[in-house]
Amino acid sequence: MMGKTILDLQKRPEERKAAPPIWLHKKEGPRMRVHLSGLGDVGRTTLTALALLGGGVIESLGIYDLNTGQMGRLELELNQICDPFGGRRIPPVYMLTEGELFDCEVFVFCMARQVPEVGAEQEDVRMAQFEANRAIAGWYAKRAAERGYHGLFLVMSDPVELLCREVLLASRQGDRGLLPGQIQGCGLGVMHGRARFFAQREEAFRDYLAEGRVFGSHGRELVAANSIRAGQYDDGCSRRLTEWVIRANLQVRGYGFKPYIAPACSSGALTILRILEGQWNYSSNYLGGVYFGGKNRTTERGIEWEALPLPEPLFERLKCAYQNLEKIL
């Protein structure tokens, strides 16, 4: 049986109407000012990739961190990168003061108070970070509301979807606050990258390369599907693939390293650029009160979800993941 789409997770039909992206209509000029806060492993890697790849859509990159030495170092080093013969534009990088954080079209939140050390991790390390990181996210959300920020607020810190919700709620101060559509979570891109990695190496998952999708969250509520094509979806195979993807970060930790390169590039820089360019991407957006991930793109009229009819067993998995996120909230 086919028929239901990701939009059917919303309880009220009126919620399915896309809200115009205020940040897109407020921007001036062809390129955007992007500010990034948090220059740890993920932040530095994301910043470097944005500088190298984002010259066409990014006007400048503002950076902020409590470690002023880290800011100074990155301002010096990244501004010394150049294409030897001038063919590639690299946006200038400059340090921000606290008061300048939201003088931009796009704000990227990479701050984290707690990242489990190698050897001290749990099976899903992301939930261990929520209580530590939610206060920081809330502080930034309140500052954005106070400034009347109309730009895009992108969340990369873990757990992505829960922190998106925290930013939305914390920003509400009287008649001020961020709109649900101003906030997006960048965590699902690496889950897609990991699913492709395993599909390239395991024949059982091969369908994913052409027909697979990921949905849900950057964490335990991930749903990977080997295929969304009628007759090709295999529930058992998809559940195995999902578990492999969820545990992939622990494989990197098994070698004694924190897994941040792939997330910073796949969920971070490459996803951010696709969002800004209006291309299809994997990110999390507001869906009936919950920030939920899936394939989507930003248009002049709002977020357009890939609303293909889904096999009933797959839709039931999405419904379960959605409800679990609701319970946590």
Side-chain angles (χ1 to χ4, degrees):
M1 178 181 175
M2 302 286 287
K4 292 183 178 178
T5 75
I6 191 171
L7 293 174
D8 287 299
L9 294 172
Q10 299 173 101
K11 296 180 177 66
R12 296 184 293 275
E14 63 270 19
E15 290 179 327
R16 300 178 193 176
K17 197 173 193 180
I22 185 173
W23 65 271
L24 188 60
H25 295 292
K26 289 278 185 179
K27 83 179 186 72
E28 299 178 4
R31 301 191 186 101
M32 285 163 266
R33 295 169 297 168
V34 176
H35 288 180
L36 186 149
S37 184
L39 300 174
D41 292 333
V42 171
R44 290 195 308 273
T45 307
T46 300
L47 175 68
T48 303
L50 286 174
L52 291 173
L53 301 174
V57 70
I58 295 175
E59 178 63 34
S60 58
L61 286 160
I63 56 174
Y64 182 79
D65 195 275
L66 296 179
N67 184 339
T68 56
Q70 187 73 274
M71 282 199 293
R73 167 216 176 180
L74 290 170
E75 183 183 57
L76 286 171
E77 291 214 70
L78 293 182
N79 284 318
Q80 292 169 15
I81 296 174
C82 71
D83 185 329
F85 301 104
R88 179 183 296 275
R89 179 182 178 274
I90 297 175
V93 176
Y94 58 93
M95 294 188 287
L96 300 168
T97 65
E98 185 180 303
E100 296 171 323
L101 280 170
F102 294 100
D103 293 337
C104 59
E105 285 73 49
V106 182
F107 177 78
V108 185
F109 178 76
C110 292
M111 297 291 290
R113 181 169 289 166
Q114 177 182 329
V115 178
E117 293 297 327
V118 173
E121 61 273 357
Q122 304 168 25
E123 186 166 306
D124 186 357
V125 300
R126 301 171 188 92
M127 287 309 299
Q129 298 173 262
F130 184 40
E131 288 304 322
N133 291 340
R134 68 188 305 182
I136 307 175
W139 185 90
Y140 278 86
K142 291 172 183 175
R143 300 292 85 72
E146 289 168 359
R147 291 296 303 271
Y149 182 57
H150 293 296
L152 181 62
F153 194 119
L154 296 176
V155 176
M156 287 189 61
S157 301
D158 282 327
V160 171
E161 289 71 27
L162 300 186
L163 289 178
C164 283
R165 173 77 172 181
E166 186 69 24
V167 168
L168 177 64
L169 296 179
S171 75
R172 292 176 177 171
Q173 303 174 53
D175 59 352
R176 292 182 297 182
L178 300 179
L179 299 175
Q182 282 181 262
I183 305 163
Q184 280 185 254
C186 297
L188 204 58
V190 72
M191 305 311 247
H192 171 61
R194 288 167 178 167
R196 286 187 57 84
F197 171 83
F198 292 124
Q200 289 166 346
R201 285 158 175 75
E202 295 289 333
E203 185 64 35
F205 303 139
R206 195 59 53 87
D207 285 345
Y208 185 91
L209 295 174
E211 305 165 3
R213 298 290 190 277
V214 287
F215 305 90
S217 76
H218 178 69
R220 292 303 308 181
E221 303 311 324
L222 176 77
V223 174
N226 74 304
S227 174
I228 57 170
R229 191 157 63 90
Q232 288 298 110
Y233 175 72
D234 184 320
D235 196 61
C237 174
S238 295
R239 289 178 184 274
R240 289 195 301 275
L241 176 59
T242 299
E243 194 61 29
W244 284 30
V245 171
I246 289 173
R247 295 181 61 85
N249 65 320
L250 298 180
Q251 290 181 302
V252 177
R253 286 176 171 269
Y255 284 107
F257 297 94
K258 293 179 183 178
Y260 64 84
I261 297 174
C265 294
S266 291
S267 292
L270 292 170
T271 293
I272 291 169
L273 292 176
R274 293 187 73 87
I275 290 172
L276 302 189
E277 293 165 355
Q279 299 184 42
W280 290 104
N281 66 86
Y282 279 108
S283 59
S284 294
N285 292 277
Y286 192 79
L287 195 65
V290 173
Y291 280 89
F292 199 77
K295 187 176 177 181
N296 68 87
R297 63 181 173 183
T298 301
T299 73
E300 290 284 342
R301 299 172 64 182
I303 295 295
E304 177 186 357
W305 293 88
E306 182 190 52
L308 297 177
L310 303 171
E312 186 176 10
L314 175 57
F315 181 80
E316 288 302 313
R317 289 183 64 201
L318 265 61
K319 183 177 177 181
C320 181
Y322 184 93
Q323 291 173 342
N324 285 344
L325 283 170
E326 277 188 313
K327 289 176 185 176
I328 297 171
L329 294 171

